[in-house]
Amino acid sequence: MSGVATPGRKKAEKIDRLAELSAAHDDERGVSLWQEAFRRLRRNPAAITGAAILMLFVLVAVFGPFLVPYATTDTIGVREGLVKSGQGIIPGSSADHWLGFDHQGRDEFSRLVVGARQTLLVGVVSTLVGLAVGALIGGIAGAAAGIGGRWGRWIDTTLMRIVDMLLALPSLLLAVSIAALLGASLVTVMIAVGMISVPVFARLLRGSMIAQAGSDYVLAATALGVRKSKIALTHIVPNSLAPVIVQATLTLATAIIEAAALSFLGLGNPDSAVPEWGVMLADAQPYLGTRPALAIYPAVAIIITALGFTLLGEAMREALDPKLRK
Amino acid sequence: MFRFIVRRLLQVIPTLFGLSILLFIWLHRLPGGPETAILGERGTPEMRAAIRRNLGLDEPILVQYGRFMKRLIQFDLGTSTSTKREVTTEFLQRFPGTVELTVMAMLIAIGLGIPLGYLAARRRGTIVDHASVAGSLIGICIPVFFLAYVLKAVFAENLGWLPSAGRQDPTIGATRITNFFVLDGLMTREWDAAADALIHLILPGLALASIPLAVIVRITRASVLEVLGEDFVRTAEAKGLTESVVRRRHVLRNAMLPVATSIGLLTGQLLSGAVLTETVFAFSGIGAFLADAISQRDYPVLQGFILIIALVYVLVNLVVDVSYTLIDPRVRVR
């Protein structure tokens, strides 16, 4: 290629050669997929940044609620006569209230910190819901396809057709209709957001299992007379999980954003005593003209957290990509 | 090729059939039918029963489904229970808005995304590369409705450069033919109407383009990087072809296959309606209308719209598959 020989490019090529050298060295010692992936991950600044963001996020989510200066339900601003939302008076930062008040006179900083826990909870639980249901469907389909026979193929085709139909449905509408089905609550948000990712996980695990089914170790296990169901569960599934784990990391980011979107449409957690970033962002809409910061704080928090999950997920995808492994 | 297209179209039928059954079961499990949406909580049991009888909801679900299918074969999707107008009329009025918005968003996403992704790959490791990768990451992570509000606040409300809501200024009094406002303006030579409709598309188009743009940049970059490492690129350069020929005929063309796939998928998603963007910009498309239909339990609208959307989605993917053969003659569809 005739690319311009910029300094950055030369540096990149040097790093690549170094990577090849050390990778070649690794191969001699025999390093497992996961070990090498972890090694590559540690060298990737994007992965480190993502991991650092997430570490901070988790620390805030776990310990933040014990350390905040004010209770999240305390309408202190109204009590002290500082906040008059009706007249558009919502004071900003001060020494006592670092990020000012929200529209109900509650301390914005405290709510933002406590909101981290709720946001993490929604993200993790909804991703787990999607992962569990999706992996179950995908796993059954993949195993059925691998075992084969008329029934196996039939189960596989039927399940995948249903998954394709779910994929063809607009994801937010799926979530909205689930929210309508179950009524607005925290659990509903988690289930609705989780269901969006079900078809993705199902397709991914099935595809990954079918790809693994053709490999030599499966042939070897078959030759040794291991039962097909045991091969599927103990050999193929563990080896097929890598892309699913990567996808789960990426899904955590979109889950937080989708949950915020549901709140925006008025289908979020109706209990405003427990702050959550998506709900805070939605609640700030009427005050965008007078106090845009009320929307910007939770929005920036959501963006940074989603960025953390995406950076780490993308870096994991790269680290596990056999095309990039040497 | 012709046989391929026909077979793919025939395959759509069982998928749509299955979807219609799933939809039917799903929708009728929603608590509180249209009677609750119409009457609120006040209605007496007799009033509720009367409405259900009027809408034919008191019959067994199989009978209802049979009637739905019978009408569907005659291209009759029924009447909306909330607006009292025919579902097809509602669709034909709103879908053009969604199509115009999708076209605008995809033009922005493709027009910026492919050059940016290509540049990032060519200048790998430079500031251009890092900036476009970082930008695309942020594009994926911004909640669309927040971006929409920021765009609206800055460009419509503070600067006043662009309109903040709607599809067209109603005082223009534009003639309607197809409900594609830009197209109508061009066909009737009402240039001001076409320009006004176009201006109304810019802000929602930008907001909606954020995610497709980010995806296209990343896929183009990854794909171009892969192709740049291929032997045939080196051969082409060794033959002494000019850089622009290598770029256009060898690199870009080969790198476009995965990009075309994702463009198809993204277009299909956008055509199913942008609930959030449409809500923020009070843009009359199918997204916000569908979200309303769910809360109104408007079964005919939901069934009809979602079936048509699924059909459109499948058709878009068919177009993408056919376009492969144009991009890469080695791909043979059978």
Side-chain angles (χ1 to χ4, degrees):
Chain A
M1 63 194 114
S2 70
V4 197
T6 55
R9 187 193 191 95
K10 269 189 196 150
K11 210 157 126 193
E13 280 169 1
K14 212 155 90 186
I15 295 171
D16 283 350
R17 265 201 300 280
L18 209 68
E20 279 170 30
L21 279 178
S22 70
H25 187 62
D26 286 345
D27 262 355
E28 285 163 22
R29 278 184 288 145
V31 177
S32 83
L33 173 72
W34 288 99
Q35 273 173 319
E36 200 206 311
F38 184 65
R39 203 190 308 274
R40 292 172 67 103
L41 220 48
R42 264 190 334 204
R43 277 202 302 260
N44 187 341
I48 300 296
T49 315
I53 292 174
L54 293 183
M55 207 111 80
L56 182 71
F57 176 51
V58 172
L59 282 179
V60 170
V62 173
F63 298 109
F66 303 115
L67 303 172
V68 289
Y70 300 95
T72 53
T73 48
D74 186 2
T75 54
I76 183 166
V78 172
R79 215 171 52 232
E80 294 178 353
L82 296 168
V83 176
K84 296 186 182 75
S85 313
Q87 301 160 34
I89 302 174
I90 305 171
S93 311
S94 64
D96 286 340
H97 302 277
W98 293 348
L99 299 180
F101 300 99
D102 77 348
H103 62 289
Q104 292 190 19
R106 298 170 293 198
D107 184 55
E108 180 76 3
F109 175 74
S110 302
R111 287 180 68 78
L112 206 60
V113 168
V114 177
R117 177 180 286 188
Q118 206 64 13
T119 307
L120 182 69
L121 190 71
V122 171
V124 170
V125 174
S126 53
T127 303
L128 284 179
V129 168
L131 179 68
V133 179
L136 187 71
I137 298 175
I140 292 174
I147 290 167
R150 191 141 50 98
W151 277 104
R153 274 198 302 276
W154 186 84
I155 293 172
D156 177 40
T157 316
T158 312
L159 284 176
M160 281 304 113
R161 273 282 148 83
I162 294 175
V163 165
D164 284 346
M165 281 177 218
L166 282 178
L167 268 179
L169 283 179
S171 62
L172 204 55
L173 283 178
L174 189 66
V176 169
S177 65
I178 294 172
L181 180 69
L182 301 174
S185 78
L186 185 62
V187 178
T188 302
V189 173
M190 291 170 177
I191 294 175
V193 173
M195 289 308 281
I196 295 175
S197 56
V198 163
V200 181
F201 282 119
R203 278 208 79 88
L204 203 61
L205 183 61
R206 171 185 175 268
S208 180
M209 281 175 74
I210 287 176
Q212 293 289 329
S215 53
D216 290 342
Y217 67 83
V218 174
L219 190 68
T222 315
L224 286 171
V226 183
R227 268 184 298 124
K228 275 187 170 176
S229 55
K230 194 173 178 193
I231 295 179
L233 276 181
T234 58
H235 290 66
I236 297 180
V237 167
N239 280 297
S240 311
L241 283 180
V244 177
I245 292 169
V246 171
Q247 183 62 39
T249 316
L250 294 171
T251 302
L252 276 164
T254 48
I256 291 172
I257 298 170
E258 303 271 10
L262 276 185
S263 301
F264 167 77
L265 292 173
L267 297 164
N269 185 6
D271 179 11
S272 84
V274 193
E276 193 247 309
W277 293 342
V279 180
M280 290 169 72
L281 183 50
D283 283 349
Q285 310 291 334
Y287 307 98
L288 272 168
T290 43
R291 272 274 289 153
L294 283 184
I296 293 171
Y297 295 137
V300 169
I302 290 173
I303 294 169
I304 291 177
T305 309
L307 210 56
F309 282 118
T310 312
L311 281 173
L312 189 66
E314 292 290 337
M316 276 164 66
R317 197 213 297 274
E318 267 177 42
L320 285 166
D321 189 346
K323 266 193 218 157
L324 298 170
R325 286 175 82 220
K326 284 278 154 49
Chain B
M1 173 71 97
F2 181 71
R3 284 186 55 190
F4 168 77
I5 295 176
V6 169
R7 215 187 42 210
R8 279 285 295 266
L9 286 177
L10 286 178
Q11 278 175 357
V12 172
I13 295 171
T15 310
L16 286 185
F17 187 67
L19 186 64
S20 74
I21 295 177
L22 276 187
L23 265 177
F24 221 83
I25 300 170
W26 179 251
L27 291 175
H28 286 262
R29 286 200 60 88
L30 291 179
E35 72 276 10
T36 311
I38 293 169
L39 293 171
E41 297 300 324
R42 297 163 286 136
T44 60
E46 292 79 34
M47 285 161 80
R48 285 168 194 283
I51 288 183
R52 287 193 77 85
R53 199 163 47 244
N54 262 336
L55 297 172
L57 294 172
D58 54 342
E59 289 178 73
I61 192 153
L62 270 176
V63 177
Q64 291 184 43
Y65 183 73
R67 206 170 35 221
F68 171 71
M69 285 311 286
K70 198 174 145 197
R71 281 206 315 249
L72 188 65
I73 293 166
Q74 301 159 355
F75 296 102
D76 175 10
L77 292 169
T79 312
S80 158
T81 55
S82 57
T83 65
K84 309 281 177 238
R85 304 198 319 171
E86 284 202 8
V87 173
T88 28
T89 314
E90 292 284 2
F91 189 82
L92 290 177
Q93 193 157 62
R94 286 162 210 278
F95 194 56
T98 295
V99 173
E100 283 187 343
L101 191 55
T102 302
V103 170
M104 178 54 112
M106 287 313 288
L107 282 181
I108 295 171
I110 296 170
L112 286 175
I114 292 180
L116 265 178
Y118 179 77
L119 213 63
R122 268 328 263 264
R123 309 262 164 86
R124 187 185 188 179
T126 64
I127 186 103
V128 180
D129 183 19
H130 292 315
S132 54
V133 169
S136 69
L137 275 177
I138 292 173
I140 289 177
C141 292
I142 290 189
V144 173
F145 63 92
F146 178 69
L147 180 65
Y149 265 118
V150 171
L151 287 174
K152 186 171 148 179
V154 174
F155 293 103
E157 280 154 15
N158 281 357
L159 297 172
W161 290 353
L162 293 162
S164 66
R167 285 183 63 193
Q168 199 174 44
D169 186 350
T171 58
I172 286 183
T175 323
R176 301 265 178 274
I177 303 173
T178 57
N179 277 322
F180 288 92
F181 287 4
V182 178
L183 196 67
D184 284 355
L186 295 178
M187 275 161 55
T188 55
R189 304 195 172 200
E190 292 168 356
W191 307 121
D192 57 330
D196 190 61
L198 210 56
I199 286 173
H200 275 83
L201 285 173
I202 295 177
L203 284 183
L206 274 174
L208 200 57
S210 62
I211 289 177
L213 173 62
V215 173
I216 291 175
V217 167
R218 296 154 60 83
I219 290 184
T220 309
R221 177 179 177 273
S223 176
V224 169
L225 272 181
E226 208 173 304
V227 174
L228 279 177
E230 296 277 354
D231 291 340
F232 63 78
V233 175
R234 199 173 43 209
T235 310
E237 280 167 355
K239 280 195 301 187
L241 296 181
T242 61
E243 203 184 314
S244 73
V245 171
V246 176
R247 190 169 60 207
R248 264 184 293 121
R249 305 254 313 260
H250 296 253
V251 177
L252 264 181
R253 191 161 181 172
N254 277 294
M256 277 307 104
L257 219 50
V259 181
T261 311
S262 67
I263 288 176
L265 283 173
L266 292 164
T267 309
Q269 278 164 15
L270 293 193
L271 280 179
S272 61
V275 183
L276 301 169
T277 311
E278 284 174 16
T279 308
V280 174
F281 290 102
F283 190 95
S284 159
I286 57 171
F289 187 66
L290 266 174
D292 279 347
I294 290 176
S295 61
Q296 295 288 324
R297 306 286 187 273
D298 196 337
Y299 299 147
V301 165
L302 288 170
Q303 280 152 2
F305 273 43
I306 292 179
L307 280 182
I308 303 177
I309 289 170
L311 181 66
V312 171
Y313 189 83
V314 176
L315 290 182
V316 168
N317 279 311
L318 180 62
V319 171
V320 170
D321 283 354
V322 171
S323 77
Y324 286 167
T325 54
L326 301 177
I327 297 170
D328 188 346
R330 286 173 304 182
V331 176
R332 289 268 172 273
V333 286
R334 253 174 258 116

